[in-house]
Amino acid sequence: GQQVMQIPQYQHVQEGEDFTTYCNSSTTLSNIQWYKQRPGGHPVFLIQLVKSGEVKKQKRLTFQFGEAKKNSSLHITATQTTDVGTYFCAALPLTGNQFYFGTGTSLTVIP
Amino acid sequence: DGGITQSPKYLFRKEGQNVTLSCEQNLNHDAMYWYRQDPGQGLRLIYYSQIVNDFQKGDIAEGYSVSREKKESFPLTVTSAQKNPTAFYLCASSGGQGYTEAFFGQGTRLTVV
């Protein structure tokens, strides 16, 4: 079945440091979404990537979709304590009709 | 105030009992989903529905049942056949067939004792 791996599983950073999480699929994707879940909360949509090699930015967050449309990354520049939470990718396979969520990366920001 | 509502937030049940989790949305979305979240794991799809009176099994449908009699509502029943029902359950809705963002409810934490 569809496998979506995310690394790392956990990341602790000092406030102000950068952070990156990677999402890798076993199959080619149609598109990929990213969500953030705060501790005790529910996932909230951040962005969707559709095109091969696409790069999108939201303030300090940079999202990339790989050229082969099998992987994606989320990079946060100069982390803040408000960035704390778990970041999930959700992948839509080229031949599928449902999104498969990655295992998530839990980010802790140390003030 | 538009959104997706799950109730209750916390639910306790005895082993062997069926329990129904509520999910209501007023976003006029066609598609609705139920996910299960366990510690350290991603969200796993239980059931989804893309239109009223129709639904499909996700990856972990065994021991669960759903209905979609109204566009706004997509209740999930956790049956006694579900071997490990204690988990955090999330309901979501989206406006299209897998190409738009999903809006999640606040979740229901089910504990079976």
Side-chain angles (χ1 to χ4, degrees):
Chain A
Q2 177 68 29
Q3 300 240 348
V4 182
M5 303 300 296
Q6 252 186 282
I7 54 170
Q9 188 173 1
Y10 302 96
Q11 184 81 61
H12 291 69
V13 299
Q14 208 69 38
E15 188 172 16
E17 291 182 339
D18 292 357
F19 158 78
T20 304
T21 173
Y22 300 91
C23 181
N24 297 294
S25 167
S26 56
T27 61
T28 303
L29 303 172
S30 173
N31 60 36
I32 196 161
Q33 296 176 342
W34 285 92
Y35 292 80
K36 176 183 178 181
Q37 185 176 23
R38 293 181 187 274
H42 59 279
V44 174
F45 175 81
L46 294 175
I47 209 159
Q48 177 166 277
L49 305 171
V50 179
K51 299 176 183 176
S52 167
E54 189 170 16
V55 178
K56 286 188 176 181
K57 291 190 176 184
Q58 289 179 350
K59 297 182 180 177
R60 295 177 295 104
L61 277 61
T62 302
F63 304 84
Q64 291 189 327
F65 202 4
E67 293 288 344
K69 299 186 76 174
K70 284 189 172 183
N71 54 69
S72 181
S73 65
L74 157 60
H75 179 82
I76 302 178
T77 304
T79 55
Q80 300 175 359
T81 54
T82 53
D83 295 325
V84 165
T86 301
Y87 292 84
F88 291 98
C89 61
L92 178 68
L94 206 56
T95 55
N97 60 357
Q98 68 175 70
F99 280 91
Y100 291 86
F101 278 79
T103 47
T105 296
S106 175
L107 172 63
T108 300
V109 179
I110 305 161
Chain B
D1 194 18
I4 181 163
T5 304
Q6 286 186 245
S7 61
K9 191 171 183 180
Y10 298 95
L11 193 54
F12 294 86
R13 277 295 181 269
K14 289 185 178 179
E15 195 172 334
Q17 289 182 335
N18 291 356
V19 60
T20 298
L21 281 58
S22 169
C23 179
E24 304 277 331
Q25 55 100 358
N26 61 5
L27 299 168
N28 200 33
H29 284 167
D30 288 317
M32 296 187 75
Y33 312 84
W34 273 105
Y35 292 93
R36 170 181 172 139
Q37 186 174 29
D38 294 287
Q41 296 194 35
L43 282 65
R44 291 183 291 167
L45 185 63
I46 304 172
Y47 268 98
Y48 64 104
S49 168
Q50 293 173 332
I51 197 167
V52 174
N53 291 323
D54 188 43
F55 48 83
Q56 286 80 39
K57 293 181 179 180
D59 296 323
I60 56 165
E62 186 175 349
Y64 300 97
S65 66
V66 294
S67 63
R68 187 85 187 276
E69 297 176 2
K70 297 186 299 182
K71 189 175 186 178
E72 303 80 22
S73 179
F74 192 41
L76 173 74
T77 297
V78 184
T79 75
S80 56
Q82 168 50 232
K83 295 178 182 177
N84 187 19
T86 294
F88 187 51
Y89 291 88
L90 285 158
C91 180
S93 70
S94 68
Q97 188 183 346
Y99 297 100
T100 62
E101 66 181 280
F103 292 81
F104 284 84
Q106 300 290 327
T108 293
R109 189 166 298 279
L110 172 66
T111 302
V112 176
V113 296

